[in-house]
Amino acid sequence: MITSTIALGTLASLLAGLCSAVGALPVLVVRRLSERIQDLLLGFAAGVMLAASFFSLIIPGLDVAQQQGFGKLGAVNLVIAGLLLGAATLWSVHRLVPHEHFVLGREGPCTERVRRIWLFVLAITLHNFPEGLAVGVSFGDEAGRGMAVATGIGLQNIPEGLAVAVALIGLHYSKAQAFGVALLTGLVEPIGGFVGVAAVTVATSLLPWGLAFAAGAMIFVISDEIIPETHRRGFEHHGTAGLMVGLVVMMFLDVMLG
């Protein structure tokens, strides 16, 4: 049973990650995508992640903690600690790993010796790992909830993969390089998925911690990366509209599938 749960969580996170490459396919025939549409697509991704953080991770984390014997105060304190730990971990990684965002520019330590395209790969990798982690941890909690999270993450990876690939082409990278980056970064998600589902399945006491940690990591990515990216070019209203659509889509999926 444990082995099948781990395999299912890892496979689901792999399929969700591959949706990034599916989304990037149009870049092989379309070279341009307006900045307005790019921000709309990124906003949609942020909305899905935000809804998943609360409906599929934080609320279940509170429920699981209470099922494990914690009172309301103990459960909420546990989840708060997990949230802050997840956010702090991603913050530390961002400070230590050189990477570059499409609009915000370079972050992390000295990057002069690193090729620019690898800085983009690292940035998107830092973004995608928490998504895979969320899928895996959700399967450790409940298969139906895991399917909802995997479906939502996969859906948001499609427009996100397209936006990333188009942005790379706008920076004069080839179509093959743009598609390759989308594919490569999507393959990070099953790693996060395996880590998440294995940890909470083998050690069930870690489940509420894992749910909260994944939520904190994703919320950090939303606030630190995605939303600022959608507010730098004058199309913040489109980014916000995309966020609202993504949020209600993920909420619907969680209710219907979870």
Side-chain angles (χ1 to χ4, degrees), residues 12 36 47 83 117 120 122 169 203 205 213 223-224 228-229 243 248:
R36 179 184 290 108
L83 275 168
I117 193 166
F120 287 122
L122 287 169
I169 286 182
S205 61
F213 183 94
S223 178
D224 188 68
E229 290 270 357
L243 185 147
V248 297

Side-chain angles (χ1 to χ4, degrees), residues 100-113:
E100 180 164 354
H101 304 289
F102 296 112
V103 179
L104 300 179
R106 301 192 177 198
E107 291 185 355
C110 182
T111 58
E112 282 76 8
R113 296 182 180 180

